[in-house]
């Protein structure tokens, strides 16, 4: 929506956040140092942390566990997994859960869905972060959509301080492998994980096939599913958001579901929802 049309409809015009642009631009710029810092071990760190913070932290923790409560784990394990999600630098748990619940409640509504794909590919991919709307980014507002988490002191602390957690991660990586590990394990990993996660908001609402004819345009996109450990089976997920398994057909590889099955086998995951 243009500023002129927004004013005409009595809506607050979108404002570019130069702080967000500077932050994401700086991280992307530092990630571009990767060719000069390459080592196979550094690349291995990137792949491992992309999986740990992405599949376990975001997909299992923030998404299937905290947002949809499609399984239950002991509170100590829930906190640990949520902390891994915070290390992905995709916002604190209250913010992430609130915006995703709004996405499901008002899928593709241009005003109520924070990253509505009807506003275009780049809006749903990343511009919604560069033009932050107060109803989605002001804590006093978004916390209303995740009251279960907002009641928990640990999640309130994690929501405020998730960025600071990158400091001990960077220190540990530097101790293990110097600046090469920092560039690959913090900056390159963050950029790759951002864009693979954002593909679910953007590409998976534009391309792919559908098992379920829903009112939204969610799609199953195989290559996005491989990059996001199963989240790309997005049409399946929108049809049954509270089901712990996203890949329903045998060929729909869902690595996050494999992790849930391991936790279930160990007796750590209970009440795993496998049917809508």
């Amino acid at each position: 929506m243009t500023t002129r049309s927004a004013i005409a409809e009595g809506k607050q015009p979108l404002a570019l956040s130069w702080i967000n642009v500077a932050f994401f631009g700086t991280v992307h710029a530092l990630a571009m140092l990767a060719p000069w810092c390459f080592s196979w071990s550094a690349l291995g760190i990137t792949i491992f942390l992309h999986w740990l913070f992405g599949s376990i932290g975001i997909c299992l923790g923030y998404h299937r566990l905290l947002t949809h409560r499609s399984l239950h784990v002991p509170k100590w394990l829930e906190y640990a997994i949520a902390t891994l999600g915070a290390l992905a630098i995709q916002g604190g748990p209250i913010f992430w859960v609130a915006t995703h619940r709004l996405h499901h409640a008002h899928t593709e509504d241009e005003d109520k869905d924070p990253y509505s794909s009807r506003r275009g590919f780049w809006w749903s991919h990343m511009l919604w972060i560069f033009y932050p709307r107060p109803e989605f980014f002001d804590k006093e507002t978004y916390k209303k959509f995740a009251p279960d988490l907002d009641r928990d002191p640990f999640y309130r602390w994690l929501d405020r301080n998730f960025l600071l957690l990158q400091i001990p991660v960077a220190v540990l990586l530097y101790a293990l492998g110097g600046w090469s590990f920092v560039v690959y394990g913090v900056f390159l990993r963050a950029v790759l994980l951002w864009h693979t996660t954002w593909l679910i908001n953007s590409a998976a609402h534009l391309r792919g096939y559908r098992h379920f004819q829903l009112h939204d345009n969610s799609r199953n996109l195989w290559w996005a599913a491989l990059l996001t450990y199963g989240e790309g089976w997005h049409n399946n997920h929108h049809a049954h958001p509270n089901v712990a398994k996203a890949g329903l057909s045998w060929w729909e590889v869902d690595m996050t579901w494999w992790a849930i099955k391991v936790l279930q086998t160990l007796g750590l995951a209970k009440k795993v929802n496998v049917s809508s």
Side-chain angles (χ1 to χ4, degrees):
M1 178 179 294
T2 65
T3 300
R4 181 177 296 176
S5 61
I7 294 173
E9 295 181 21
K11 300 175 182 177
Q12 186 72 23
L14 297 175
L16 182 64
S17 170
W18 287 107
I19 293 176
N20 290 1
V21 170
F23 173 75
F24 284 95
T26 299
V27 175
H28 277 74
L30 291 170
M32 293 177 68
L33 296 173
W36 290 273
C37 303
F38 177 80
S39 71
W40 288 109
S41 55
L43 180 60
I45 287 290
T46 301
I47 295 170
F48 172 71
L49 293 182
H50 188 283
W51 166 79
L52 183 65
F53 299 161
S55 180
I56 306 303
I58 294 295
C59 303
L60 196 165
Y62 272 18
H63 191 202
R64 305 188 197 189
L65 176 60
L66 297 183
T67 301
H68 298 293
R69 296 295 182 184
S70 58
L71 68 150
H72 292 265
V73 299
K75 186 60 71 172
W76 65 267
L77 182 57
E78 179 181 307
Y79 286 163
I81 294 173
T83 301
L84 293 176
L87 288 169
I89 326 180
Q90 295 187 14
I94 302 175
F95 166 79
W96 202 102
V97 168
T99 54
H100 194 70
R101 286 176 178 173
L102 281 168
H103 169 67
H104 276 274
H106 309 286
T107 306
E108 296 176 357
D109 184 289
E110 292 189 17
D111 294 317
K112 297 179 181 180
D113 182 348
Y115 28 86
S116 172
S117 61
R118 291 186 182 177
R119 286 176 172 256
F121 176 91
W122 287 109
W123 174 267
S124 57
H125 193 74
M126 61 192 299
L127 288 181
W128 72 282
I129 301 171
F130 290 167
Y131 291 90
R133 296 166 61 190
E135 60 266 39
F136 305 134
F137 283 81
D138 179 72
K139 185 175 182 180
E140 292 306 308
T141 303
Y142 71 67
K143 72 179 185 180
K144 299 174 185 176
F145 302 100
D148 50 332
L149 300 188
D150 188 56
R151 287 191 293 267
D152 191 313
F154 177 76
Y155 287 130
R156 292 198 301 271
W157 179 88
L158 199 58
D159 207 64
R160 292 192 304 269
N161 299 296
F162 70 95
L163 272 178
L164 296 178
L165 298 180
Q166 293 302 306
I167 296 175
V169 170
V171 170
L172 177 61
L173 289 172
Y174 182 80
L176 291 174
W179 288 114
S180 174
F181 274 31
V182 174
V183 169
Y184 273 78
V186 175
F187 302 112
L188 182 61
R189 176 267 305 170
V191 168
L192 294 176
L193 188 50
W194 284 337
H195 286 283
T196 49
T197 302
W198 296 342
L199 282 170
I200 306 306
N201 303 335
S202 54
H205 278 264
L206 293 174
R207 297 286 185 270
Y209 64 91
R210 292 155 65 87
H211 284 312
F212 304 95
Q213 297 304 313
L214 307 176
H215 293 298
D216 60 63
N217 199 40
S218 58
R219 304 277 172 163
N220 292 326
L221 192 57
W222 69 269
W223 54 267
L226 294 180
L227 292 172
T228 57
Y229 311 100
E231 298 296 89
W233 310 120
H234 204 47
N235 176 250
N236 297 346
H237 173 62
H238 269 264
H240 305 292
N242 297 321
V243 171
K245 185 179 182 181
L248 301 183
S249 299
W250 67 266
W251 68 85
E252 294 174 341
V253 176
D254 184 356
M255 288 182 64
T256 301
W257 170 247
W258 299 349
I260 293 172
K261 287 296 291 180
V262 170
L263 292 178
Q264 190 176 36
T265 301
L266 295 174
L268 292 172
K270 306 287 187 180
K271 299 180 180 179
V272 179
N273 188 7
V274 294
S275 62
S276 58

